[in-house]
Amino acid sequence: MQLPAQAAKEDPQVPQTLDAAAVRTWCSLALDALGRDREEIDAINVYPVADGDTGTNLYLTVESAARAVEAVFDAHATGTSVPDLPDTVRAMAHGALIGARGNSGTILAQLLRGMSEVLGEDRSDRDNGADGAARGGGDHLARALHRAAQLAREAVAHPVEGTILTVASAAAEAAARTRPTVDGAIGDGAAYGDGAAVHAAYAGARVALAATPGQLAVLGRAGVVDAGGRGLLAVLAALVEAVTGDAPSPVAPGARPHELPAVVESCDADDSPAGPAFEVIYLLETDEPGIARLRRRLDALGDSLVVVGGDGLWNVHVHVDDAGAAVEAGVEAGRPYRIRITHFGAAAGHQRERAQRAVVAVVPGEGLAGLCAEAGATTVLARPGEPPASGELVDAIRRAHAHEVVLLPNDAELRHTAAAAAEQARAEGIRVALIPTRAAVQGIAALAVHEPGRRFDEDVVAMTSAAGATRYAELAVAERQSWTMAGICQAGDLLGLIDGDVAVIGTELAATAETVLDRMLSAGGELVTLVLGQDVPDTLAERLERYVRDGHLAVDTVVYRGGHQPAPLLIGVE
């Protein structure tokens, strides 16, 4: 494919421009570059937490941006027109926002948003031609890079020098210095266009990256450059190639000029305390006042706080010890979804080696996500009507960062999706055991008997046995009149589903739940698990606990808060 900029190189009087096609190429080249460098960037990830996933997170963020851009081009595939630059850069920024992963990925999403604000403005000042290029050449791109660096710093609660923020600022400053002087001349005498701006930005970023070990002590001790900054440099190199056709010479990502350390430590064991235990990320729908309150709340709960986005949709990233409180803060501020909670483990202060074993669990509500995360599981939140795709499950398996992974889909409808994810992860060299749990309460039972210290096969057998011995039920609200195994229900009726089939039709939550419990305990049981939805009062749990205690003396009851979940009440009987 010949880029528009390549033809421009033949004529020095024609400025090289960033147009819609070049943005598409940029995304593709950046994805390829991060794919090649992902493991090496992961290996030098020592700040803010040495969890070895910066390269992977940047790759997944750019992958989401590239998919969004491709969707814009696909929408024009049947017509004669092509996307314009504003639509393309806005799609790129939105894709990065909804797919951002980790600290650096979230900051990269904000950088792309800042660029899109400038590149997508002043439609009336743009050419009407098919290329959709902006007037103003390199000056316009320099302003875009400046806005990107500015927005990224504003998104980080406590900016630190020697990080991706420093590299982004250096790139913007270098591009700005390349602007024409009063007499129209540029320092190197070249035609001033986007090509000159991106070359200058890349050169400035490269110099800034090399200086990061001297700015951040943790990098200096480990002998590495900042991983996030290294990833941004790869993205900027792709931008240079997309605009000019010239591929900058590759930069070794390691600690020394020609070699990468096998293991790096983020700090000396005796001079720095371990950081928070959990990384919490979610998308949040809220307004500006809501996000301001959330920032204050999360800043008090943990560190590495980054909140990016705008126009009602935000991506929230924070490191905390209380994952449940971080999610609860999001619930109070607006509507959180796509919640991801990752447990850093005991090695949070050092380069995180791949664990021997981990558990990945799909959960229906943020309350159970916090519960499972505290038990050491990596969680995937299933939204009502939007079950996770196999790619999300594969991502969670990767985030678990273990040689062996037990996957708990906790939904009968996810069995094929989970199987596909398990196969893909196995192809990547991860040993995955899929336990076909059909409900969240079965997953809780399996997680309760999980013991990482025993042999993998023995652990899987024990977890499978615990899940299989747990009968499950849920109380749901009928959406319309329909035939069921328990008779005809009307819209608004309460349905008591046991093992997936409607067994009870009722009108009052507590009475219906008691009937369901009677049916389930008639076959025996030792433990009842109740998972209450967001709006269910504690008095219901108290009433059901008394009901079980009075009718079944040898049966214990445990109660959990599930938060926003499709069913008001989930029940398990072991």
Side-chain angles (χ1 to χ4, degrees):
M1 173 182 177
Q2 186 185 42
L3 302 177
Q6 289 177 303
K9 289 172 61 185
E10 300 172 1
D11 182 359
Q13 301 305 312
V14 179
Q16 300 167 41
T17 57
L18 180 67
D19 57 17
V23 170
R24 184 187 195 185
T25 303
W26 177 24
C27 289
S28 177
L29 291 172
L31 192 62
D32 288 345
L34 290 171
R36 291 191 303 269
D37 298 343
R38 178 180 61 82
E39 291 186 359
E40 294 176 335
I41 296 173
D42 284 345
I44 62 170
N45 171 203
V46 299
Y47 182 84
V49 175
D51 48 356
D53 62 359
T54 291
T56 299
N57 288 335
L58 289 169
Y59 177 87
L60 293 170
T61 303
V62 173
E63 183 182 44
S64 182
R67 281 200 302 265
V69 169
E70 287 303 315
V72 171
F73 275 83
D74 288 346
H76 287 76
T78 57
T80 57
S81 65
V82 296
D84 63 10
L85 181 61
D87 287 344
T88 307
V89 294
R90 288 168 185 158
M92 174 183 65
H94 181 74
L97 174 67
I98 64 174
R101 300 290 197 277
N103 191 72
S104 294
T106 308
I107 293 173
L108 177 61
Q110 190 75 339
L111 289 168
L112 296 179
R113 178 181 176 84
M115 293 188 70
S116 75
E117 284 189 5
V118 175
L119 297 175
E121 69 186 6
D122 299 329
R123 284 176 177 267
S124 61
D125 291 338
R126 297 183 181 279
D127 292 330
N128 293 321
D131 63 1
R135 297 186 190 276
D139 181 70
H140 202 69
L141 186 52
R143 289 196 296 112
L145 290 168
H146 172 76
R147 179 59 175 159
Q150 179 186 44
L151 273 191
R153 284 186 176 271
E154 292 174 357
V156 178
H158 303 284
V160 174
E161 296 305 327
T163 64
I164 185 174
L165 297 175
T166 305
V167 176
S169 294
E173 291 165 4
R177 287 195 298 270
T178 315
R179 292 176 179 175
T181 59
V182 175
D183 61 2
I186 302 176
D188 60 5
Y192 182 62
D194 287 348
V198 296
H199 271 298
Y202 176 78
R206 187 164 179 163
V207 171
L209 177 66
T212 56
Q215 295 175 293
L216 197 55
V218 64
L219 301 178
R221 284 194 296 269
V224 297
V225 296
D226 179 65
R230 173 62 183 87
L232 178 59
L233 193 67
V235 174
L236 290 174
L239 179 60
V240 172
E241 186 174 358
V243 172
T244 70
D246 291 329
S249 58
V251 176
R256 293 177 287 277
H258 302 293
E259 61 179 311
L260 183 72
V263 177
V264 293
E265 292 190 354
S266 70
C267 58
D268 297 326
D270 59 354
D271 69 356
S272 182
F278 299 99
E279 177 185 58
V280 179
I281 306 174
Y282 50 79
L283 292 177
L284 180 68
E285 293 178 358
T286 188
D287 53 16
E288 292 283 352
I291 211 68
R293 293 193 299 272
L294 178 70
R295 287 179 190 272
R296 291 192 295 270
R297 174 84 181 275
L298 292 182
D299 195 26
L301 283 176
D303 59 29
S304 297
L305 173 60
V306 185
V307 181
V308 304
D311 302 322
L313 180 62
W314 309 81
N315 191 308
V316 179
H317 170 281
V318 68
H319 295 171
V320 293
D321 282 319
D322 190 342
V327 175
E328 181 183 348
V331 174
E332 293 175 355
R335 188 175 77 88
Y337 59 99
R338 292 194 184 181
I339 300 171
R340 295 187 298 274
I341 300 175
T342 303
H343 186 257
F344 288 129
H350 302 281
Q351 170 70 18
R352 185 165 65 109
E353 296 182 2
R354 190 174 292 275
Q356 183 60 33
R357 189 173 311 154
V359 176
V360 172
V362 180
V363 291
E366 65 276 358
L368 289 184
L371 174 70
C372 292
E374 289 173 6
T378 297
T379 62
V380 179
L381 189 68
R383 294 180 64 199
E386 296 183 24
S390 61
E392 291 182 73
L393 298 185
V394 173
D395 178 29
I397 292 171
R398 292 171 181 151
R399 285 190 289 117
H401 205 62
H403 295 289
E404 303 166 338
V405 173
V406 179
L407 179 58
L408 305 174
N410 296 336
D411 187 338
E413 299 298 322
L414 286 178
R415 60 187 184 278
H416 297 305
T417 301
E423 283 302 315
Q424 183 175 341
R426 290 176 188 131
E428 297 178 8
I430 304 172
R431 187 181 184 187
V432 181
L434 171 60
I435 298 179
T437 48
R438 295 172 291 173
V441 289
Q442 289 188 322
I444 293 172
L447 193 56
V449 300
H450 167 56
E451 291 186 13
R454 61 186 165 199
R455 291 179 54 241
F456 186 60
D457 291 339
E458 293 176 354
D459 198 30
V460 172
V461 168
M463 295 176 72
T464 302
S465 177
T470 302
R471 299 190 68 194
Y472 63 95
E474 67 175 74
L475 269 66
V477 179
E479 296 180 355
R480 58 185 176 275
Q481 184 187 62
S482 60
W483 290 88
T484 74
M485 295 185 64
I488 300 175
C489 70
Q490 304 296 324
D493 281 349
L494 283 167
L495 306 179
L497 291 85
I498 300 177
D499 294 337
D501 296 321
V502 177
V504 178
I505 299 175
T507 57
E508 197 268 326
L509 185 60
T512 307
E514 288 173 351
T515 303
V516 169
L517 283 168
D518 284 338
R519 298 276 186 95
M520 298 179 75
L521 290 170
S522 64
E526 298 176 354
L527 177 66
V528 170
T529 300
L530 304 175
V531 182
L532 278 61
Q534 177 71 24
D535 299 323
V536 176
D538 292 333
T539 53
L540 175 67
E542 296 166 0
R543 172 173 168 172
L544 295 180
E545 283 185 278
R546 286 196 305 271
Y547 187 81
V548 171
R549 185 171 59 249
D550 293 344
H552 306 274
L553 298 178
V555 178
D556 293 325
T557 303
V558 294
V559 179
Y560 301 114
R561 276 285 176 185
H564 289 286
Q565 60 186 33
L569 180 64
L570 306 178
I571 302 174
V573 174
E574 300 177 48

